[in-house]
Amino acid sequence: MREHWGSKVGFVLAALGSAIGLGTLWKFPYVVGDNGGGVFLLFYTFFTLTLGIPLFIGELIIGRRTQRGAVGSFASLAGQSSPWRVVGWFGVLSAFFILSYYCIVAGWGLNYLMLSLNQFYEIRSSAQIASTFGRLYEAGDVSLFWGTIFLLLTFGVVYQGIRKGIEQWSRILMVLLLLLLVALCIYSFTLSGFSEALQFLFRFKWRELQYSGILQALGLSLFTLSLAQGVIITYGSYLPPNSDLPKAALIVGIAVVLISFLTVLVIYPVVFTFHLPINEGAGLIFETMPVLFASLPGAMVLSVLFFTLFVFAALTSSIALLEVVVANLIDLYGLSRPKAAIFSSVALFFVSIPCALAGSGALFKEWLPMYGVNFFGTLDALVSNWLLPLGALLTSLFLGWRLPSCLVREEFKRGSIFGKIYGGWIFLIRWIVPMAILLVFIYESKIYSFDK
Ligand code: TRP
């Protein structure tokens, strides 16, 4: 018998643990800033509700039905040699690329943990505190050092097999993180920049919308829900047959949106109060949070706590990401777990080197001028803007058109109080999800121009 989750709460928390990570805490805030605030938030929420959550349900259906992992589940539904297996492979590839820069960003978190212990923000101005990140970004060796430590942590957990301990820990720590965010949000509310931040976040200036922001909103929505990578399929395969899939997906999806909003509500008031630059890109969270902490009593305790939770949130996601790669190597090539874990971690280390050195320009100097983004950004864009949407597109086509609809209907309705919305859901999966993704692709690739 395949092992199953101990409880429904356990499953929801595990799915949340994989979802809440650097996507929510680090990427979401700066992408919102880069794309002008309100309109982007609107698109992100819209995509999560209409594409993300339906796909989440779909992946759970595939997983619970087949009781297999990513590549295996497509194979068992479509046939051993079916081309649909490629969809599983896309997921493995995306997970690998994501991890290579994920480690570096999480490593920055470790570095800030260290800095907090040293109380680096004492007797410095907010501008000086914020500029610390620039230093770090340009110090490739330091980035690589911390990134490698984080990679080793991830490796250590995955090497030992699945995560009884981690599961328990992530429950406690995710709740702590949430409480801390709420507390900080209440504090941010008292800052003088709060209303300015609200205006920035909730006023819709359509004219400021860059259309590429739409593709980013789509990619980010898939990224934060950990979709199109086989993780949710795998998690679904550990679900008992009578669990309510639509309900679980709704809870996770809405929780992710709420926590994302909470994060920006903590960060942007600080940005406006201390006059930090708005579109600061990748460093945003590392620049604003220490400034916020420095202005609070008990700065050291708070910032140590925050960055500990930050690293932990990243770890609960990175473990799942590495597990995607490792599990498939084990399944498909018969490698032992230790071998698969060592092999993929070593490969990851090498790919993470150019990511770590991206800011310093020590490696691939011509990358940025040539592609317009550095190596790091190229990987992120490749995955978030192309691989994930493509994987999501194929998954929705598979669910909507390839699988027998009686099978899909049965799985959707089994044990669910949302059985009545099946019609709406399958319509979304069949038509809206694929068309929306296609439209975004067409727009992005400039095959056809929608501009007047
Ligand atoms: N959702 C995670 C985050 O927001 C990152 C992520 C993307 C992920 N794909 C995943 C985590 C697959 C686990 C598995 O940070």
Side-chain angles (χ1 to χ4, degrees):
M1 249 289 271
R2 194 179 175 86
E3 203 185 337
H4 283 138
W5 301 100
S7 65
K8 282 177 198 139
V9 184
F11 158 73
V12 169
L13 286 174
L16 262 182
S18 101
I20 305 295
L22 298 178
T24 310
L25 296 174
W26 161 75
K27 199 171 167 190
F28 186 74
Y30 84 78
V31 177
V32 168
D34 286 348
N35 288 292
V39 185
F40 182 85
L41 281 183
L42 191 70
F43 270 101
Y44 171 81
T45 313
F46 175 76
F47 281 141
T48 303
L49 294 179
T50 55
L51 315 186
I53 293 178
L55 271 168
F56 199 100
I57 300 176
E59 291 204 7
L60 290 179
I61 288 180
I62 296 178
R64 186 175 68 179
R65 179 73 188 194
T66 57
Q67 300 279 302
R68 308 266 313 262
V71 182
S73 60
F74 281 98
S76 96
L77 285 170
Q80 269 315 318
S81 52
S82 157
W84 285 103
R85 290 170 48 135
V86 172
V87 186
W89 280 111
F90 272 150
V92 177
L93 205 64
S94 312
F96 182 86
F97 285 147
I98 291 178
L99 251 183
S100 66
Y101 62 85
Y102 214 80
C103 286
I104 302 303
V105 179
W108 290 339
L110 280 174
N111 169 78
Y112 268 84
L113 188 55
M114 195 64 156
L115 285 173
S116 308
L117 285 168
N118 282 330
Q119 307 193 312
F120 78 107
Y121 37 73
E122 281 194 348
I123 42 173
R124 292 197 196 176
S125 70
S126 11
Q128 280 170 325
I129 297 175
S131 69
T132 307
F133 178 76
R135 284 241 170 100
L136 173 63
Y137 189 62
E138 280 162 26
D141 45 359
V142 183
S143 295
L144 186 61
F145 171 74
W146 289 111
T148 307
I149 293 203
F150 184 83
L151 178 59
L152 284 174
L153 282 176
T154 308
F155 165 77
V157 179
V158 173
Y159 179 86
Q160 289 174 357
I162 311 300
R163 34 182 189 260
K164 261 269 166 300
I166 259 302
E167 209 72 82
Q168 303 288 0
W169 274 100
S170 35
R171 283 191 190 197
I172 304 167
L173 291 168
M174 293 313 284
V175 173
L176 258 182
L177 179 70
L178 187 64
L179 290 178
L180 190 66
L181 276 179
V182 171
L184 289 174
C185 185
I186 294 173
Y187 179 76
S188 280
F189 181 70
T190 67
L191 291 176
S192 59
F194 189 77
S195 61
E196 216 178 321
L198 273 193
Q199 280 195 1
F200 175 70
L201 293 172
F202 296 108
R203 212 174 41 190
F204 308 117
K205 289 202 205 123
W206 290 96
R207 266 176 293 121
E208 275 184 23
L209 176 75
Q210 294 152 348
Y211 286 101
S212 65
I214 300 178
L215 185 63
Q216 281 193 37
L218 171 67
L220 190 61
S221 174
L222 301 173
F223 186 95
T224 52
L225 284 175
S226 313
L227 289 170
Q229 267 144 98
V231 186
I232 303 305
I233 294 185
T234 314
Y235 280 10
S237 74
Y238 303 136
L239 276 174
N242 61 350
S243 45
D244 189 335
L245 304 185
K247 189 169 143 202
L250 270 175
I251 295 176
V252 174
I254 290 173
V256 168
V257 172
L258 288 181
I259 297 180
S260 313
F261 274 61
L262 205 55
T263 327
V264 290
L265 279 178
V266 172
I267 289 179
Y268 279 93
V270 183
V271 170
F272 285 104
T273 307
F274 295 92
H275 307 293
L276 304 172
I278 297 175
N279 33 13
E280 252 320 78
L284 185 61
I285 189 160
F286 299 111
E287 289 162 345
T288 49
M289 293 313 274
V291 172
L292 171 62
F293 296 138
S295 75
L296 288 169
M300 190 194 88
V301 179
L302 270 179
S303 62
V304 168
L305 192 61
F306 177 80
F307 284 110
T308 308
L309 296 173
F310 178 89
V311 169
F312 213 90
L315 194 61
T316 54
S317 301
S318 65
I319 292 162
L321 281 162
L322 184 57
E323 183 63 27
V324 176
V325 180
V326 169
N328 280 293
L329 287 182
I330 297 176
D331 266 7
L332 297 162
Y333 299 109
L335 291 181
S336 66
R337 172 170 285 274
K339 267 200 193 137
I342 292 173
F343 175 74
S344 30
S345 301
V346 170
L348 273 167
F349 171 74
F350 282 109
V351 185
S352 76
I353 295 175
C355 292
L357 302 186
S360 69
L363 200 61
F364 294 157
K365 226 192 186 75
E366 291 305 312
W367 197 288
L368 180 66
M370 208 153 43
Y371 294 97
V373 267
N374 61 27
F375 184 78
F376 189 124
T378 309
L379 273 191
D380 187 25
L382 175 70
V383 173
S384 310
N385 297 355
W386 302 105
L387 277 178
L388 290 189
L390 191 60
L393 173 67
L394 292 173
T395 308
S396 67
L397 292 177
F398 185 71
L399 278 159
W401 300 100
R402 174 66 176 76
L403 285 181
S405 58
C406 54
L407 179 157
V408 177
R409 182 184 302 120
E410 182 194 324
E411 284 296 323
F412 185 97
K413 290 195 168 172
R414 178 131 42 91
S416 178
I417 54 170
F418 291 102
K420 279 196 224 76
I421 60 167
Y422 171 77
W425 174 79
I426 194 72
F427 179 74
L428 282 175
I429 287 288
R430 276 204 173 145
W431 300 102
I432 305 301
V433 175
M435 285 198 323
I437 300 179
L438 269 180
L439 271 182
V440 176
F441 273 153
I442 291 176
Y443 185 83
E444 259 322 288
S445 56
K446 311 209 169 45
I447 293 173
Y448 178 80
S449 168
F450 297 94
D451 290 331
K452 285 142 265 158

